[in-house]
Amino acid sequence: MAETESTTAATEPHQTQPHERLDDIPAKLNNLALRIWPPSQRTRDAVIQRLVETLSSQSALSKRYGTIPEADASSVAKSIEGEAFSAAGAAFSPDDDGIAILQMYSREISKRMLDTVKSRASAAPASDASSGTEASSGKEISLSPVEEEA
């Protein structure tokens, strides 16, 4: 019987502690701030990698505007992400929770990616005219200067 009493006495404080902890949760949550801006470097790297994949592989976008060689796509993706990050960061307010800025960041990336592939596709027919390749055929496009023979 003494064992039962000591076991009960030992568990009673544990039974009251969860209730005390539950009472503290609202106060702790009020002090918790969830910030989603700025994204971590790991997240930014994942965005860049996804951009490279989108720009350099077959997709709905590449069917219309063509693909970009992976080497070029990497530098273009870094540029797109960096510009979008800067544009969104300039609009960030410390009082903001970051959701609107994250949406702006996403829109900037999409807009800049579309502008890039459109400009490359419009430049590609002129440079690819000699090879007969059209950007809308889904072929790789590049803005590398074409050397003319004298």
Side-chain angles (χ1 to χ4, degrees), residues 48-59:
I48 291 168
Q49 184 58 38
R50 184 66 182 129
L51 275 169
V52 169
E53 291 171 13
T54 301
L55 294 169
S56 64
S57 62
Q58 292 297 319
S59 65

mmCIF file with all atom_site columns, all heavy atoms in Angstrom, residues 48-59:
data_model
loop_
_atom_site.group_PDB
_atom_site.id
_atom_site.type_symbol
_atom_site.label_atom_id
_atom_site.label_alt_id
_atom_site.label_comp_id
_atom_site.label_asym_id
_atom_site.label_entity_id
_atom_site.label_seq_id
_atom_site.pdbx_PDB_ins_code
_atom_site.Cartn_x
_atom_site.Cartn_y
_atom_site.Cartn_z
_atom_site.occupancy
_atom_site.B_iso_or_equiv
_atom_site.pdbx_formal_charge
_atom_site.auth_seq_id
_atom_site.auth_comp_id
_atom_site.auth_asym_id
_atom_site.auth_atom_id
_atom_site.pdbx_PDB_model_num
ATOM 1  N N   . ILE A 1 48 ? 15.683 29.078 -57.471 1.00 0.00 ? 48 ILE A N   1
ATOM 2  C CA  . ILE A 1 48 ? 16.602 29.187 -58.613 1.00 0.00 ? 48 ILE A CA  1
ATOM 3  C C   . ILE A 1 48 ? 16.682 27.863 -59.359 1.00 0.00 ? 48 ILE A C   1
ATOM 4  O O   . ILE A 1 48 ? 16.604 27.828 -60.595 1.00 0.00 ? 48 ILE A O   1
ATOM 5  C CB  . ILE A 1 48 ? 18.005 29.655 -58.153 1.00 0.00 ? 48 ILE A CB  1
ATOM 6  C CG1 . ILE A 1 48 ? 17.932 31.107 -57.676 1.00 0.00 ? 48 ILE A CG1 1
ATOM 7  C CG2 . ILE A 1 48 ? 19.034 29.492 -59.264 1.00 0.00 ? 48 ILE A CG2 1
ATOM 8  C CD1 . ILE A 1 48 ? 19.170 31.590 -56.943 1.00 0.00 ? 48 ILE A CD1 1
ATOM 9  N N   . GLN A 1 49 ? 16.805 26.768 -58.627 1.00 0.00 ? 49 GLN A N   1
ATOM 10 C CA  . GLN A 1 49 ? 16.888 25.451 -59.263 1.00 0.00 ? 49 GLN A CA  1
ATOM 11 C C   . GLN A 1 49 ? 15.623 25.150 -60.053 1.00 0.00 ? 49 GLN A C   1
ATOM 12 O O   . GLN A 1 49 ? 15.676 24.636 -61.177 1.00 0.00 ? 49 GLN A O   1
ATOM 13 C CB  . GLN A 1 49 ? 17.142 24.354 -58.220 1.00 0.00 ? 49 GLN A CB  1
ATOM 14 C CG  . GLN A 1 49 ? 17.338 22.977 -58.817 1.00 0.00 ? 49 GLN A CG  1
ATOM 15 C CD  . GLN A 1 49 ? 18.496 22.914 -59.805 1.00 0.00 ? 49 GLN A CD  1
ATOM 16 O OE1 . GLN A 1 49 ? 19.535 23.523 -59.626 1.00 0.00 ? 49 GLN A OE1 1
ATOM 17 N NE2 . GLN A 1 49 ? 18.303 22.184 -60.890 1.00 0.00 ? 49 GLN A NE2 1
ATOM 18 N N   . ARG A 1 50 ? 14.482 25.491 -59.495 1.00 0.00 ? 50 ARG A N   1
ATOM 19 C CA  . ARG A 1 50 ? 13.215 25.257 -60.199 1.00 0.00 ? 50 ARG A CA  1
ATOM 20 C C   . ARG A 1 50 ? 13.115 26.134 -61.450 1.00 0.00 ? 50 ARG A C   1
ATOM 21 O O   . ARG A 1 50 ? 12.627 25.694 -62.492 1.00 0.00 ? 50 ARG A O   1
ATOM 22 C CB  . ARG A 1 50 ? 12.042 25.530 -59.260 1.00 0.00 ? 50 ARG A CB  1
ATOM 23 C CG  . ARG A 1 50 ? 10.708 25.228 -59.870 1.00 0.00 ? 50 ARG A CG  1
ATOM 24 C CD  . ARG A 1 50 ? 10.561 23.725 -60.122 1.00 0.00 ? 50 ARG A CD  1
ATOM 25 N NE  . ARG A 1 50 ? 9.283  23.486 -60.752 1.00 0.00 ? 50 ARG A NE  1
ATOM 26 C CZ  . ARG A 1 50 ? 9.108  22.781 -61.854 1.00 0.00 ? 50 ARG A CZ  1
ATOM 27 N NH1 . ARG A 1 50 ? 10.136 22.209 -62.446 1.00 0.00 ? 50 ARG A NH1 1
ATOM 28 N NH2 . ARG A 1 50 ? 7.927  22.634 -62.367 1.00 0.00 ? 50 ARG A NH2 1
ATOM 29 N N   . LEU A 1 51 ? 13.605 27.348 -61.366 1.00 0.00 ? 51 LEU A N   1
ATOM 30 C CA  . LEU A 1 51 ? 13.637 28.228 -62.536 1.00 0.00 ? 51 LEU A CA  1
ATOM 31 C C   . LEU A 1 51 ? 14.513 27.630 -63.637 1.00 0.00 ? 51 LEU A C   1
ATOM 32 O O   . LEU A 1 51 ? 14.135 27.647 -64.815 1.00 0.00 ? 51 LEU A O   1
ATOM 33 C CB  . LEU A 1 51 ? 14.161 29.615 -62.163 1.00 0.00 ? 51 LEU A CB  1
ATOM 34 C CG  . LEU A 1 51 ? 13.152 30.603 -61.608 1.00 0.00 ? 51 LEU A CG  1
ATOM 35 C CD1 . LEU A 1 51 ? 13.873 31.827 -61.036 1.00 0.00 ? 51 LEU A CD1 1
ATOM 36 C CD2 . LEU A 1 51 ? 12.164 31.028 -62.672 1.00 0.00 ? 51 LEU A CD2 1
ATOM 37 N N   . VAL A 1 52 ? 15.671 27.119 -63.261 1.00 0.00 ? 52 VAL A N   1
ATOM 38 C CA  . VAL A 1 52 ? 16.579 26.500 -64.241 1.00 0.00 ? 52 VAL A CA  1
ATOM 39 C C   . VAL A 1 52 ? 15.861 25.349 -64.938 1.00 0.00 ? 52 VAL A C   1
ATOM 40 O O   . VAL A 1 52 ? 15.898 25.229 -66.169 1.00 0.00 ? 52 VAL A O   1
ATOM 41 C CB  . VAL A 1 52 ? 17.886 26.019 -63.575 1.00 0.00 ? 52 VAL A CB  1
ATOM 42 C CG1 . VAL A 1 52 ? 18.704 25.153 -64.524 1.00 0.00 ? 52 VAL A CG1 1
ATOM 43 C CG2 . VAL A 1 52 ? 18.702 27.197 -63.081 1.00 0.00 ? 52 VAL A CG2 1
ATOM 44 N N   . GLU A 1 53 ? 15.182 24.512 -64.151 1.00 0.00 ? 53 GLU A N   1
ATOM 45 C CA  . GLU A 1 53 ? 14.455 23.378 -64.731 1.00 0.00 ? 53 GLU A CA  1
ATOM 46 C C   . GLU A 1 53 ? 13.368 23.859 -65.690 1.00 0.00 ? 53 GLU A C   1
ATOM 47 O O   . GLU A 1 53 ? 13.201 23.316 -66.776 1.00 0.00 ? 53 GLU A O   1
ATOM 48 C CB  . GLU A 1 53 ? 13.829 22.530 -63.622 1.00 0.00 ? 53 GLU A CB  1
ATOM 49 C CG  . GLU A 1 53 ? 14.829 21.776 -62.786 1.00 0.00 ? 53 GLU A CG  1
ATOM 50 C CD  . GLU A 1 53 ? 14.198 21.118 -61.565 1.00 0.00 ? 53 GLU A CD  1
ATOM 51 O OE1 . GLU A 1 53 ? 12.943 21.034 -61.491 1.00 0.00 ? 53 GLU A OE1 1
ATOM 52 O OE2 . GLU A 1 53 ? 14.952 20.698 -60.672 1.00 0.00 ? 53 GLU A OE2 1
ATOM 53 N N   . THR A 1 54 ? 12.632 24.876 -65.278 1.00 0.00 ? 54 THR A N   1
ATOM 54 C CA  . THR A 1 54 ? 11.547 25.398 -66.111 1.00 0.00 ? 54 THR A CA  1
ATOM 55 C C   . THR A 1 54 ? 12.068 26.005 -67.410 1.00 0.00 ? 54 THR A C   1
ATOM 56 O O   . THR A 1 54 ? 11.494 25.792 -68.480 1.00 0.00 ? 54 THR A O   1
ATOM 57 C CB  . THR A 1 54 ? 10.736 26.457 -65.332 1.00 0.00 ? 54 THR A CB  1
ATOM 58 O OG1 . THR A 1 54 ? 10.213 25.848 -64.148 1.00 0.00 ? 54 THR A OG1 1
ATOM 59 C CG2 . THR A 1 54 ? 9.597  27.010 -66.158 1.00 0.00 ? 54 THR A CG2 1
ATOM 60 N N   . LEU A 1 55 ? 13.159 26.752 -67.310 1.00 0.00 ? 55 LEU A N   1
ATOM 61 C CA  . LEU A 1 55 ? 13.701 27.431 -68.486 1.00 0.00 ? 55 LEU A CA  1
ATOM 62 C C   . LEU A 1 55 ? 14.412 26.487 -69.454 1.00 0.00 ? 55 LEU A C   1
ATOM 63 O O   . LEU A 1 55 ? 14.437 26.743 -70.655 1.00 0.00 ? 55 LEU A O   1
ATOM 64 C CB  . LEU A 1 55 ? 14.671 28.537 -68.053 1.00 0.00 ? 55 LEU A CB  1
ATOM 65 C CG  . LEU A 1 55 ? 14.053 29.711 -67.287 1.00 0.00 ? 55 LEU A CG  1
ATOM 66 C CD1 . LEU A 1 55 ? 15.155 30.584 -66.700 1.00 0.00 ? 55 LEU A CD1 1
ATOM 67 C CD2 . LEU A 1 55 ? 13.141 30.514 -68.188 1.00 0.00 ? 55 LEU A CD2 1
ATOM 68 N N   . SER A 1 56 ? 14.993 25.410 -68.933 1.00 0.00 ? 56 SER A N   1
ATOM 69 C CA  . SER A 1 56 ? 15.835 24.561 -69.776 1.00 0.00 ? 56 SER A CA  1
ATOM 70 C C   . SER A 1 56 ? 15.203 23.237 -70.198 1.00 0.00 ? 56 SER A C   1
ATOM 71 O O   . SER A 1 56 ? 15.805 22.492 -70.965 1.00 0.00 ? 56 SER A O   1
ATOM 72 C CB  . SER A 1 56 ? 17.160 24.283 -69.073 1.00 0.00 ? 56 SER A CB  1
ATOM 73 O OG  . SER A 1 56 ? 16.941 23.539 -67.891 1.00 0.00 ? 56 SER A OG  1
ATOM 74 N N   . SER A 1 57 ? 14.010 22.929 -69.716 1.00 0.00 ? 57 SER A N   1
ATOM 75 C CA  . SER A 1 57 ? 13.390 21.660 -70.096 1.00 0.00 ? 57 SER A CA  1
ATOM 76 C C   . SER A 1 57 ? 12.060 21.900 -70.803 1.00 0.00 ? 57 SER A C   1
ATOM 77 O O   . SER A 1 57 ? 11.541 23.013 -70.812 1.00 0.00 ? 57 SER A O   1
ATOM 78 C CB  . SER A 1 57 ? 13.183 20.779 -68.860 1.00 0.00 ? 57 SER A CB  1
ATOM 79 O OG  . SER A 1 57 ? 12.314 21.418 -67.949 1.00 0.00 ? 57 SER A OG  1
ATOM 80 N N   . GLN A 1 58 ? 11.541 20.856 -71.392 1.00 0.00 ? 58 GLN A N   1
ATOM 81 C CA  . GLN A 1 58 ? 10.283 20.962 -72.115 1.00 0.00 ? 58 GLN A CA  1
ATOM 82 C C   . GLN A 1 58 ? 9.134  21.240 -71.150 1.00 0.00 ? 58 GLN A C   1
ATOM 83 O O   . GLN A 1 58 ? 8.996  20.591 -70.125 1.00 0.00 ? 58 GLN A O   1
ATOM 84 C CB  . GLN A 1 58 ? 10.001 19.667 -72.896 1.00 0.00 ? 58 GLN A CB  1
ATOM 85 C CG  . GLN A 1 58 ? 10.962 19.438 -74.039 1.00 0.00 ? 58 GLN A CG  1
ATOM 86 C CD  . GLN A 1 58 ? 10.855 20.529 -75.108 1.00 0.00 ? 58 GLN A CD  1
ATOM 87 O OE1 . GLN A 1 58 ? 9.784  20.967 -75.464 1.00 0.00 ? 58 GLN A OE1 1
ATOM 88 N NE2 . GLN A 1 58 ? 12.006 20.963 -75.603 1.00 0.00 ? 58 GLN A NE2 1
ATOM 89 N N   . SER A 1 59 ? 8.330  22.222 -71.493 1.00 0.00 ? 59 SER A N   1
ATOM 90 C CA  . SER A 1 59 ? 7.178  22.614 -70.687 1.00 0.00 ? 59 SER A CA  1
ATOM 91 C C   . SER A 1 59 ? 6.216  23.367 -71.591 1.00 0.00 ? 59 SER A C   1
ATOM 92 O O   . SER A 1 59 ? 6.503  23.601 -72.768 1.00 0.00 ? 59 SER A O   1
ATOM 93 C CB  . SER A 1 59 ? 7.625  23.507 -69.530 1.00 0.00 ? 59 SER A CB  1
ATOM 94 O OG  . SER A 1 59 ? 8.142  24.737 -70.017 1.00 0.00 ? 59 SER A OG  1
#
